Amino acid sequence: MFSEQAAPTAQGLLAPPSAEPPTFPRVSVSGYSDCSQPFQLGERSFSRQYAHIYAVRLAGMRPGLERRARSRWGNDIVLRKLSELQAGEKCCVVGTLFKAMQLQPSILQEISEEHNLVPQPPLPKYIQPSDELILEDELQRIKLEGAIDVQRLVTGTILAVYGSEQDDGRFLVEDHCFADLPPPLPWKGPCSDRFVLLTSGLGLGSVSGEALLSTQLLVDVVTGQLGAEGEQSCAAHIARVILAGNLLSQNTQSRDTINKAKYLTKKTQAASVEAVKMLDEILLQLCTSVPVDVMPGEFDPTNYTLPQQPLHRCMLPLASAYTTLHLVTNPYQADLDGVRFLGTSGQNVSDIFKYSSMDNYLEILEWTLLAGHISPTAPDTLGCYPFYKSDPFILTECPHVYFCGNAPRFQSKLLQGEEGQRVLLLTVPDFSTTQTACLVNLRDLTCQPITFSGFGAEDED
Amino acid sequence: VTYKWLSYTLGVHVNQAKQMLYDYVERKRKENSGAQLHVTYLVAGNLLQNGHVCHKVAVVREDKLEAMKSKLSTIASVHVYSIQKALLKDSSPLYNTDYDIVKTNLHHCSKFSAIRCAAAVPRTPPDVPRAQTSTQSSQPQRDPDAAGVVNGHGPPAAKPPPQQHKGIMGMFAAKAASKPQDTNKEAKAEAKEAPGVSAASSKPPTKNNIMNNFFGKAAMNKLKVNSVPEQQKEEKEVAKPSVAVAEPESSPNTVVEKPGKKTESTRIQQKDKKSKMKRVDRSDDEEERDPENVKKKRKRIKQLQSDSSDEEDVPPSPTPEEERAPSPPPVPALKTELEPASTEVSAGGRKRKRKRVLKSKMFIDEEEGCM
C-alpha cells in the first residue's frame, strides 16, 4: 500500500538539502462515533449471581436461533423446551452449552481438604477426550452425544440442536447450528484511501528493551518523521491509531509486596509506574499527530473482569491534555467514517483457545462471529461483570472490521456472509514479540502488516 | 547523531535534516579525510513474507544496505538515519539518543515532523475541570494533574512568563478582543507549544465557561492552582461580560481603572507587578462590593508605582472603554442584573478573598520558579 505510492520518490532524501520540504496535513476522520456505550459500566454492584447472565443470554439469542433453525431444517420442525421432550421424537432444542471438563481449574477442588491437592499449574489447553457436553435451558439439562464435536465447543455458547431424545435420557444430535452472522450494517465507507493502524501488546516495562527501538520507529512512521516524502504523504493518510491492549508487559504484574516482608519493599515502586510514564510519553508523541484510541488489556492497570473499563486519564497526564487521545473500553466498538470496528484485546480468544481444540486464532475469531457472541466463556472461565438486564456481548449487528489483539501472529481474512455481510477478520499480533502492526485500508477493507526492525550484534544475514 | 537529534537541535524539518546528513556524508567521503564515518540507513518497502505482502521498515547498517534493498520487492524510501564515528554494535545508542532528545522536547515533538494534524489541539484547562465539576473529589485529581504539567514544563517555561506579560499587555491594548485571546490562550493552555494551532473557535465557549465556573466552587480551586485563570478572569471582565458577572458592570469607571492599573503594572518590574496582582485582585473583590472604596484603592496603588501614574492612567482608560463599548449590547441589561448577581458576586468575592493569600503566594513561587 505504502510502497506503490511511495516508490517514485524513494531515493529523494539521498541528496543535498533542498528547499523547504513539504508538510502534509493529516487526513481527518470526519465520521467518528464511539459506539461502545454498552460496554461502559456505570454503577457496579457485585451482589448478584452470575446465573442471570446465562438467562439473559439465552433469552436474547433464542429468537434469532429459532429463526435460523427453521430456515435450516425446514419450517415445520418442532421446537421444544427440554421439559417438553418426548422420547424418540425428532425436534429442535435451543439452549446453552456446558462442557464438563476434568482438567478445568476449579476453586472448590483447590480448597478441598480431603484431596490435599496442590493447585493445578496453568496448562496451555484444558481439553481432554473425556469431556462431555451438556445442553441447558431455563429449567433442565440434558447430555448431548452424536454428531457434535465435543472438543471444539466451549461452555456458554447458545446453539440449536436437532435430534431426538434417547431412552437412556441422552439427546442424540443429528445436526446443530449457531446464530450465524448477525444482520449486516450498511456500508458507508470512504472513497479515498484512509488507513487505520492497529497494534497491540506494546509491552512497555519489560526487562528487555529490544522492542523499544521498534516502538519508536512505529511512532516515527505514524507521526511522519521517518521515511522519504512519498512514505510520509502516505502516512498522512493514517486517520487513526488503535492500541488494542497490553500496553504494559507481564513483568509489571509481579507484586513483590505480597511475597516479601514490608520492610524490604517499603521504598520500592511498582514496576508499572515507570512503564506508565513511558507509555505516557509515547502516547504524547502520537497524540500530537494522530487521534489515538487506547484499549486496556490483560496486564493493564484497570479492572480484570470484562468489559474492562477505560484507563483513567490521570495516569496519563501529559497525553490526556490532548483531545486526540481517547481512552476506551475493552471490547471496543466504534464507527470510523462509516466503517464499524469491533474488537477486543484478545482475552476472549485466548480463553477459548485454552478450552477448545481450535488452535488458530483467526479460526476462533471467526467462530465467535458465527456463534453470535463475543465471549461465550465469559462468566465461566473468564472474569465478567454480573449483567442481569442484557448481555452486551451478544452480536446484534455485523461489524465491518472484527479484530482481536495480542495474537501470536498476524492473520487476516475477508469473510463474506449470506446476507451480504463483509467482515474483515483480523488478528493483531503482539508487538513486543513480533514487531508487527497492522494497517487497515478503510476504502476496500484490505489489510497489510508493517514490521519494524533495528539491527543487533547477532543478525548477520 | 541521528536525523531526529539533528532536526531538534537545529530546528529544521526532519526531511531537511536527513538531507543534511546525506550531504555531509558525501562531502566527507569525497574529501577522503581519513576519518571513518559509519552510516546507518533507514529502508522501507514491501517484502513477501509468510505468503502475504508485508511492509517492512528497518534500520540497517551501511554494509547491509544493499542486501536489504535486494530483499525488498519494492522500495518505498531510503534515507540516512544516523552517522557515527564508531561502528555500532546494535541499535540501542540510536534509540537512546532519540529518546533523550524527544524527552527534552516532549511538548512540541511534532513541530518538525512532516505531518500536521489539525485536530491535535491541547485541551484547555477549563475544559478539563468542566468535565469534572460534578464531583468535588475530582478536583484534587486535577490539581496534581495541572501541577504536574506545570512542573514538567519547567525547562521550556522561559516562554510562559513573557507570554503572560504579553497577555496582560495585549489584553488592554487598544485592539480587538481576539488578540488578547490569542496571547492569553498561549499563556493559559499550560504553555503547551502545540505547533501553531490556535483553535480560536474554542475561545468564546471556553471563556463563557470560565465565566460560569468563576463563581462555582470548582473555580475556587482552579484559581488556587493556576495564576493564569486569574488573568483570564480579568480579561473576561474587560472583554466580554455576557454572563451575569456583574462586577465589570457595577461601575464602568472602576473597571476602567483596573485595566489602567494593570497597564501600569506591566511597565514596571515583576516584583511590582506581583504585588500589583495582589492588590488588583483584592481590589477586584472590593470593587464588587463597595464601588466607593475604589478611589482609595487607586490612590494606594498609585503610591506604589514609581512614576507617571496619572498620565498612564488616563490614556489607557478611554481605550479599554472603547474596547468594551463594542462588546455586546447587554451592558445596560446587565446593570439591572447587578442586584441579584451582586450577592452571588460578593459571596464569590469573599470566598476568593479567603483564598487570596495562598493564591498570590503560589503566583510568586511560580514566577520565581520560572525566572
Side-chain angles (χ1 to χ4, degrees):
Chain A
M1 263 174 247
F2 272 11
S3 317
E4 292 79 31
Q5 280 171 300
T9 55
Q11 313 265 2
L13 287 176
L14 289 175
S18 57
E20 188 60 35
T23 59
F24 308 98
R26 168 88 56 192
V27 19
S28 62
V29 172
S30 44
Y32 170 73
S33 69
D34 187 6
C35 308
S36 52
Q37 274 76 28
F39 302 123
Q40 280 168 354
L41 301 172
E43 273 294 307
R44 280 172 251 184
S45 124
F46 285 90
S47 57
R48 278 190 285 276
Q49 298 252 343
Y50 281 95
H52 300 289
I53 304 188
Y54 288 117
V56 167
R57 200 184 284 178
L58 184 58
M61 293 185 67
R62 188 185 274 277
L65 268 170
E66 288 180 354
R67 244 197 331 267
R68 180 70 57 190
R70 282 194 208 282
S71 67
R72 189 161 161 156
W73 298 311
N75 255 333
D76 52 350
I77 57 160
V78 188
L79 279 167
R80 288 234 187 266
K81 292 229 163 75
L82 281 178
S83 47
E84 304 157 0
L85 275 185
Q86 291 155 16
E89 185 201 2
K90 278 208 198 301
C91 59
C92 162
V93 185
V94 175
T96 316
L97 210 58
F98 177 74
K99 189 153 118 175
M101 294 188 289
Q102 220 173 12
L103 287 180
Q104 181 176 357
S106 156
I107 189 73
L108 297 174
Q109 270 184 342
E110 270 181 45
I111 61 177
S112 153
E113 271 145 30
E114 56 211 46
H115 289 270
N116 273 352
L117 278 178
V118 218
Q120 193 182 15
L123 292 174
K125 272 202 184 292
Y126 293 100
I127 55 177
Q128 258 205 330
S130 62
D131 294 337
E132 284 177 341
L133 277 181
I134 298 169
L135 188 72
E136 296 184 359
D137 70 357
E138 292 91 350
L139 300 171
Q140 291 188 346
R141 46 154 51 184
I142 194 166
K143 260 211 187 107
L144 292 180
E145 58 185 14
I148 195 162
D149 187 353
V150 180
Q151 300 298 314
R152 226 179 107 104
L153 297 173
V154 286
T155 307
T157 328
I158 312 277
L159 79 168
V161 290
Y162 186 67
S164 56
E165 189 187 355
Q166 301 296 298
D167 291 331
D168 58 354
R170 294 174 198 237
F171 195 90
L172 188 66
V173 179
E174 288 171 26
D175 198 5
H176 67 282
C177 83
F178 300 104
D180 216 5
L181 292 177
L185 280 175
W187 171 255
K188 287 182 282 227
C191 4
S192 62
D193 267 351
R194 290 269 163 95
F195 297 100
V196 174
L197 185 79
L198 284 138
T199 184
S200 74
L202 288 179
L204 296 172
S206 63
V207 178
S208 64
E210 300 119 19
L212 287 177
L213 179 66
S214 311
T215 319
Q216 191 61 49
L217 288 177
L218 171 71
V219 172
D220 285 343
V221 168
V222 173
T223 54
Q225 295 182 355
L226 216 57
E229 286 177 13
E231 182 148 358
Q232 285 169 341
S233 70
C234 293
H237 287 293
I238 296 182
R240 205 162 191 94
V241 173
I242 300 183
L243 298 176
N246 274 358
L247 307 157
L248 305 187
S249 91
Q250 199 168 6
N251 297 339
T252 60
Q253 294 292 299
S254 69
R255 301 205 313 173
D256 280 341
T257 46
I258 298 183
N259 301 335
K260 285 201 191 149
K262 196 87 175 182
Y263 69 96
L264 287 172
T265 57
K266 219 176 184 130
K267 290 275 176 64
T268 57
Q269 227 180 24
S272 47
V273 174
E274 277 303 311
V276 171
K277 273 201 212 144
M278 223 189 308
L279 175 69
D280 197 17
E281 285 161 13
I282 292 184
L283 280 180
L284 178 65
Q285 290 175 47
L286 277 178
C287 283
T288 50
S289 171
V290 69
V292 184
D293 294 333
V294 183
M295 287 167 63
E298 197 180 337
F299 305 124
D300 292 330
T302 181
N303 54 322
Y304 164 72
T305 55
L306 283 195
Q308 282 183 306
Q309 299 303 294
L311 296 172
H312 202 284
R313 36 181 298 281
C314 70
M315 283 197 288
L316 308 166
L318 299 170
S320 52
Y322 281 83
T323 54
T324 45
L325 180 77
H326 295 108
L327 297 164
V328 294
T329 57
N330 167 32
Y332 174 52
Q333 192 177 74
D335 252 332
L336 274 102
D337 252 354
V339 179
R340 172 68 69 97
F341 274 71
L342 172 63
T344 63
S345 300
Q347 289 115 317
N348 53 335
V349 177
S350 58
D351 200 56
I352 297 177
F353 174 81
K354 277 193 271 189
Y355 295 100
S356 150
S357 60
M358 294 190 275
D359 272 331
N360 195 343
Y361 268 55
L362 192 70
E363 188 188 343
I364 297 179
L365 198 64
E366 187 179 348
W367 182 81
T368 57
L369 194 61
L370 292 173
H373 199 272
I374 299 178
S375 166
T377 56
D380 190 38
T381 43
L382 190 60
C384 179
Y385 175 74
F387 293 104
Y388 70 105
K389 282 211 194 108
S390 66
D391 189 353
F393 296 125
I394 299 178
L395 290 166
T396 46
E397 298 161 321
C398 194
H400 296 119
V401 179
Y402 185 46
F403 65 92
C404 90
N406 298 302
R409 59 183 205 279
F410 168 80
Q411 282 170 306
S412 81
K413 178 172 165 185
L414 195 60
L415 190 68
Q416 302 277 1
E418 304 164 341
E419 295 169 20
Q421 299 105 331
R422 251 174 85 220
V423 191
L424 175 69
L425 297 171
L426 190 54
T427 57
V428 185
D430 186 30
F431 194 82
S432 53
T433 48
T434 60
Q435 277 97 49
T436 312
C438 315
L439 210 60
V440 177
N441 188 346
L442 293 182
R443 181 173 53 92
D444 53 3
L445 282 190
T446 54
C447 155
Q448 192 185 44
I450 304 193
T451 342
F452 300 90
S453 64
F455 55 87
E458 60 276 355
D459 39 51
E460 291 293 333
D461 51 336
Chain B
V1 172
T2 63
Y3 76 93
K4 210 194 285 189
W5 186 90
L6 195 68
S7 127
Y8 278 116
T9 323
L10 296 180
V12 296
H13 193 275
V14 285
N15 286 354
Q16 276 189 326
K18 295 171 201 163
Q19 287 169 331
M20 282 184 207
L21 284 178
Y22 178 74
D23 200 32
Y24 181 79
V25 169
E26 288 297 298
R27 260 190 276 146
K28 274 283 182 211
R29 294 253 165 97
K30 279 205 199 98
E31 287 170 17
N32 223 351
S33 53
Q36 265 285 34
L37 285 180
H38 290 101
V39 191
T40 58
Y41 289 88
L42 180 97
V43 185
N46 267 356
L47 178 68
L48 200 63
Q49 198 177 42
N50 299 337
H52 31 229
V53 178
C54 151
H55 188 85
K56 192 162 169 70
V57 178
V59 177
V60 291
R61 280 197 285 251
E62 198 170 6
D63 39 357
K64 307 276 182 350
L65 177 63
E66 292 308 316
M68 183 59 85
K69 271 162 85 164
S70 55
K71 260 210 293 187
L72 299 175
S73 54
T74 39
I75 300 180
S77 54
V78 178
H79 66 78
V80 179
Y81 191 83
S82 75
I83 307 182
Q84 299 80 239
K85 280 232 171 87
L87 185 63
L88 284 181
K89 287 243 168 49
D90 62 55
S91 38
S92 46
L94 294 178
Y95 173 70
N96 290 336
T97 330
D98 278 344
Y99 181 74
D100 290 332
I101 194 78
V102 169
K103 215 161 158 164
T104 50
N105 291 316
L106 260 186
H107 291 291
H108 37 95
C109 43
S110 285
K111 217 154 64 164
F112 305 116
S113 154
I115 299 180
R116 291 263 179 278
C117 181
V121 187
R123 266 192 255 255
T124 52
D127 287 350
V128 168
R130 209 189 318 149
Q132 297 171 337
T133 41
S134 50
T135 51
Q136 186 65 15
S137 58
S138 55
Q139 280 308 314
Q141 233 171 42
R142 204 213 136 242
D143 290 352
D145 191 342
V149 175
V150 170
N151 291 338
H153 210 61
K159 283 253 190 110
Q163 279 186 356
Q164 282 171 4
H165 294 176
K166 255 189 278 161
I168 297 167
M169 281 201 72
M171 257 189 259
F172 306 105
K175 287 293 171 195
S178 60
K179 179 152 172 253
Q181 280 174 21
D182 282 347
T183 50
N184 198 27
K185 175 173 195 225
E186 279 168 20
K188 176 178 52 155
E190 313 209 284
K192 284 239 174 19
E193 284 139 2
V197 180
S198 55
S201 57
S202 70
K203 278 300 300 178
T206 312
K207 283 170 42 162
N208 281 337
N209 284 310
I210 295 175
M211 291 287 252
N212 288 331
N213 284 343
F214 187 68
F215 294 110
K217 261 184 145 183
M220 297 308 130
N221 291 341
K222 191 170 46 138
L223 287 175
K224 245 178 38 171
V225 173
N226 227 334
S227 62
V228 180
E230 186 186 283
Q231 300 164 17
Q232 295 163 3
K233 163 189 66 160
E234 287 154 356
E235 186 211 9
K236 219 61 53 35
E237 291 153 10
V238 178
K240 191 165 184 275
S242 62
V243 188
V245 176
E247 36 152 0
E249 268 55 59
S250 61
S251 39
N253 301 334
T254 61
V255 178
V256 164
E257 281 155 7
K258 250 195 319 200
K261 286 176 230 154
K262 282 181 203 142
T263 44
E264 290 154 355
S265 69
T266 55
R267 287 169 208 175
I268 305 170
Q269 307 140 11
Q270 261 184 347
K271 276 262 162 71
D272 279 354
K273 175 179 157 287
K274 263 186 286 183
S275 52
K276 195 79 38 47
M277 292 307 248
K278 275 192 260 186
R279 296 288 157 153
V280 168
D281 198 46
R282 215 178 300 140
S283 64
D284 273 353
D285 305 349
E286 273 146 51
E287 270 164 15
E288 293 157 11
R289 289 178 291 158
D290 337 325
E292 51 273 3
N293 285 350
V294 168
K295 296 264 190 274
K296 258 193 284 178
K297 290 282 168 276
R298 180 150 57 133
K299 282 206 204 113
R300 235 188 283 159
I301 287 172
K302 278 193 181 169
Q303 278 165 14
L304 264 190
Q305 289 159 25
S306 45
D307 56 339
S308 62
S309 36
D310 288 323
E311 311 90 80
E312 287 173 356
D313 201 8
V314 172
S317 53
T319 49
E321 218 172 35
E322 283 168 24
E323 188 188 353
R324 283 184 50 259
S327 79
V331 167
L334 276 165
K335 284 214 174 165
T336 58
E337 290 175 38
L338 168 63
E339 275 67 51
S342 61
T343 49
E344 198 192 325
V345 166
S346 50
R350 251 179 264 126
K351 278 195 200 141
R352 267 185 301 124
K353 220 184 171 171
R354 211 185 307 134
K355 305 230 164 62
R356 191 194 332 116
V357 177
L358 280 170
K359 173 179 23 173
S360 21
K361 269 213 200 120
M362 296 218 51
F363 187 82
I364 295 173
D365 285 337
E366 282 173 29
E367 283 269 42
E368 276 171 3
C370 298
M371 287 198 301

